[in-house]
């Protein structure tokens, strides 16, 4: 037993210059664990909400109320507890706020505390966080397969285009390090193409190129050109991944692509995405339909679930019960894991396990508002078999997470890269099995 001695929250600032919550957990042996809450912009309606003060100061975004949650009731409930009992600490937090959205304490207060407890336990055991996570969950650590944004859109780019993330994955790379190298080539090739078309205009919230396009599909075509310009054949080592984030432009089976001034119902939306899946080497697609479009998501999964990874983000909000319900209904075949959507580490790991136990993919993910916190690089590695979504390939709040994986690679070895395994049941996995057999 190593007791928690003190818990203290302070206000720090995220990558969008907004205030957020940092928590220090100090143990009786003097060891410190520290974590910072991230913040989303395209949020699911059922995810844990951040407590913000409202009013005129800092555009209503101040977090004094969340700091008070940590320094008051949360600290009182956790001080004296064994830091090694993560589940006990998380349940003590939950006992203080049983509201489904954690709007009493604030998800920003709970997530920073829960992660700081995890960091303190790892440091106290003298282990890097990834190793502590692997040892305490019984998982085999692997370096995750990244999804990396080349163009940012949707809520992260003033809705310049409707689709939110145009990303690449490099399942054919031999190591995590090689993923970084190939991604860098594609990222800068995309920038060169934008420049040559007179369309270069900086970057979006997560560091991807600003999407100066006349249609959503132009972004896809430009991404194809960038992959080729980088010397790769699209669909071979490099594949495309999309986050449609459809809840941002649709609900109740009605969708509106503002850029193209086009209205669609669910069936038409499924047709359009189906045509993209046929035309482009897309191996993964997130939130293809709105979070309340259950019939549409089930139909999309029925039609395309055996060829592409279908991730629920806003649709599942890192909630184990929603994952189990979706598994029963046949909606999605993978889940995004955002610790601040759930609000605690234990709930996030439960969701990860619920997904993996039925052969689903699990993608540990950052938020669009991020910081220097690297917890997710360690979680994705320690839980194993996974994938990691962090945003693009610029800006230090993104790069620090990729770079942390490179440091972990030095400890685990290059062979610990999970490679294309998470995409085994997609067209890419099937094609590459055949290639190996031939
Ligand atoms: P958010 O978006 O962090 O702005 O909610 C990220 C995502 O949709 O994956
Ligand atoms: Zn998403």
């Amino acid at each position: 037993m190593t007791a928690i001695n003190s818990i203290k929250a302070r206000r720090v600032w995220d990558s969008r210059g907004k205030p957020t919550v940092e928590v220090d957990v100090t143990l009786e042996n003097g060891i410190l664990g520290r974590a910072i809450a991230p913040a989303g912009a395209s949020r699911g309606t059922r995810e844990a909400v951040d407590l913000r003060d409202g009013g005129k100061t800092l555009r209503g975004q101040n977090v004094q109320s969340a700091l008070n949650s940590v320094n008051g009731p949360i600290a009182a409930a956790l001080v004296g507890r064994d830091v090694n009992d993560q589940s006990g600490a998380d349940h003590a937090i939950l006992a203080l706020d049983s509201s489904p959205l954690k709007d009493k304490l604030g998800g920003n207060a709970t997530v920073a505390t829960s992660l700081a407890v995890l960091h303190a336990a790892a440091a106290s055991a003298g282990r890097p966080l990834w190793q502590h996570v692997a040892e305490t969950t019984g998982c085999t650590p692997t370096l995750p397969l990244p999804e990396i944004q080349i163009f940012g859109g949707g809520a992260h780019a003033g809705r310049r285009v409707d689709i939110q993330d145009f990303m690449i994955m490099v399942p054919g790379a031999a190591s995590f390090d090689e993923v970084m190298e190939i991604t860098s080539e594609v990222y800068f090739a995309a920038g060169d193409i934008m420049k040559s078309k007179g369309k270069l205009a900086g970057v979006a919230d997560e560091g991807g190129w600003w999407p100066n396009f006349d249609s959503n599909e132009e972004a896809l075509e430009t991404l194809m050109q960038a992959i080729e310009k980088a010397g790769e054949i699209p669909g071979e080592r490099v594949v495309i991944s999309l986050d449609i984030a459809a809840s941002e432009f649709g609900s109740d089976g009605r969708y509106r692509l503002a850029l193209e001034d086009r209205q669609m119902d669910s069936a038409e939306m499924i047709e359009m995405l189906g045509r993209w899946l046929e035309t482009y080497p897309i191996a993964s697609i997130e939130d293809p339909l709105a979070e309340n479009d259950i019939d549409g998501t089930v139909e999309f999964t029925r039609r395309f679930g055996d060829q592409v990874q279908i991730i629920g983000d806003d649709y599942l909000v890192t909630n184990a019960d929603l994952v189990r319900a979706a598994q029963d209904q046949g909606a999605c075949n993978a889940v995004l894991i955002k610790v601040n959507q759930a609000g605690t580490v234990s709930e996030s790991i439960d969701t990860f396990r619920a997904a993996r136990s039925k052969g689903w993919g699990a993608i540990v993910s950052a938020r669009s508002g991020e910081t220097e916190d690297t917890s997710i690089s360690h979680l994705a590695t320690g839980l194993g078999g996974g994938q990691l979504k962090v945003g693009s390939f610029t800006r230090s709040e993104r790069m620090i997470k990729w770079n942390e994986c490179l440091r972990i690679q030095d400890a685990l070895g290059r062979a610990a890269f999970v490679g294309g395994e998470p995409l085994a049941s997609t067209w890419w996995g099937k094609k590459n099995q055949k290639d190996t057999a031939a």
Side-chain angles (χ1 to χ4, degrees):
M1 149 106 187
T2 308
I4 295 172
N5 210 26
S6 77
I7 297 193
K8 179 137 187 35
R10 73 172 61 78
R11 184 178 69 181
V12 295
W13 304 84
D14 74 14
S15 57
R16 281 191 277 246
K18 288 191 180 165
T20 188
V21 179
E22 174 171 272
V23 172
D24 285 0
V25 167
T26 310
L27 307 181
E28 59 181 345
N29 56 14
I31 297 266
L32 169 76
R34 173 175 290 163
I36 313 177
S42 77
R43 305 168 51 89
T45 55
R46 291 169 294 185
E47 66 176 86
V49 298
D50 291 345
L51 202 55
R52 302 210 179 251
D53 301 349
K56 289 213 174 89
T57 316
L58 296 173
R59 298 166 176 248
Q61 299 292 309
N62 205 5
V63 292
Q64 187 56 49
S65 41
L67 301 182
N68 294 345
S69 292
V70 178
N71 294 331
I74 294 177
L78 298 194
V79 167
R81 295 191 69 93
D82 183 4
V83 73
N84 298 303
D85 182 10
Q86 182 74 39
S87 166
D90 288 339
H91 281 94
I93 293 173
L94 293 178
L96 295 170
D97 186 352
S98 54
S99 65
L101 301 181
K102 298 188 173 59
D103 48 5
K104 222 171 106 192
L105 294 174
N108 44 358
T110 67
V111 74
T113 309
S114 182
L115 280 167
V117 169
L118 186 71
H119 277 273
S124 183
R127 300 267 192 277
L129 190 64
W130 63 267
Q131 192 180 357
H132 175 76
V133 168
E135 284 175 4
T136 53
T137 57
C139 295
T140 306
T142 52
L143 284 156
L145 176 65
E147 290 189 83
I148 306 185
Q149 185 193 72
I150 305 298
F151 300 111
H156 304 157
R159 296 178 205 284
R160 177 66 186 73
V161 301
D162 305 280
I163 308 303
Q164 183 177 287
D165 291 309
F166 298 87
M167 298 171 285
I168 59 164
M169 299 175 91
V170 194
S175 66
F176 193 92
D177 191 39
E178 195 175 53
V179 174
M180 299 293 104
E181 190 173 311
I182 294 169
T183 300
S184 175
E185 300 284 9
V186 174
Y187 182 82
F188 287 106
D192 288 346
I193 294 170
M194 297 304 271
K195 193 169 179 200
S196 69
K197 289 182 176 171
K199 291 189 166 190
L200 196 66
V203 300
D205 271 11
E206 297 188 355
W209 299 111
W210 186 263
N212 252 343
F213 298 114
D214 297 326
S215 70
N216 289 286
E217 216 172 332
E218 193 193 342
L220 268 167
E221 277 158 16
T222 310
L223 183 52
M224 292 288 283
Q225 289 163 16
I227 296 169
E228 282 165 7
K229 195 170 187 322
E232 298 289 329
I233 301 165
E236 295 289 323
R237 289 200 299 181
V238 181
V239 297
I240 292 177
S241 170
L242 298 178
D243 183 0
I244 306 298
S247 302
E248 291 291 311
F249 58 86
S251 71
D252 300 320
R254 301 295 313 166
Y255 298 88
R256 181 166 184 276
L257 294 181
L259 182 59
E260 293 152 43
D261 194 19
R262 188 167 160 202
Q263 307 268 359
M264 284 179 288
D265 61 16
S266 289
E268 290 165 321
M269 185 74 183
I270 292 169
E271 282 314 310
M272 181 191 78
L273 296 175
R275 198 172 52 72
W276 289 2
L277 295 181
E278 249 171 51
T279 314
Y280 305 100
I282 298 166
S284 182
I285 190 161
E286 183 176 323
D287 285 340
L289 295 136
E291 61 173 58
N292 61 5
D293 193 347
I294 296 172
D295 292 347
T297 305
V298 168
E299 174 61 10
F300 186 82
T301 307
R302 189 189 66 75
R303 287 193 41 195
F304 304 112
D306 63 350
Q307 64 180 80
V308 66
Q309 173 169 265
I310 302 170
I311 307 169
D313 170 17
D314 296 340
Y315 192 81
L316 298 168
V317 292
T318 316
N319 180 304
D321 289 336
L322 291 177
V323 165
R324 283 186 280 267
Q327 286 168 338
D328 290 344
Q329 286 165 330
C332 307
N333 57 28
V335 62
L336 212 69
I337 303 286
K338 290 169 165 168
V339 186
N340 80 327
Q341 274 182 336
T344 61
V345 170
S346 299
E347 289 166 284
S348 306
I349 292 177
D350 284 351
T351 306
F352 184 94
R353 287 188 192 283
R356 302 292 288 158
S357 71
K358 294 280 163 65
W360 274 34
I363 302 90
V364 178
S365 174
R367 301 307 302 247
S368 50
E370 270 295 336
T371 68
E372 61 272 31
D373 188 292
T374 59
S375 307
I376 60 169
S377 306
H378 291 267
L379 279 174
T381 303
L383 292 170
Q387 302 166 64
L388 180 61
K389 182 186 183 202
V390 162
S392 193
F393 209 66
T394 57
R395 300 178 48 140
S396 281
E397 81 278 5
R398 313 289 150 190
M399 303 316 290
I400 195 169
K401 295 171 180 63
W402 303 130
N403 289 342
E404 190 73 353
C405 288
L406 292 170
R407 294 182 194 108
I408 300 171
Q409 176 186 262
D410 279 350
L412 265 180
R414 292 164 81 87
F417 175 52
V418 72
E421 208 181 292
L423 300 181
S425 61
T426 67
W427 62 263
W428 187 90
K430 288 167 193 163
K431 176 172 112 129
N432 283 281
Q433 260 158 18
K434 259 191 248 126
D435 287 351
T436 335

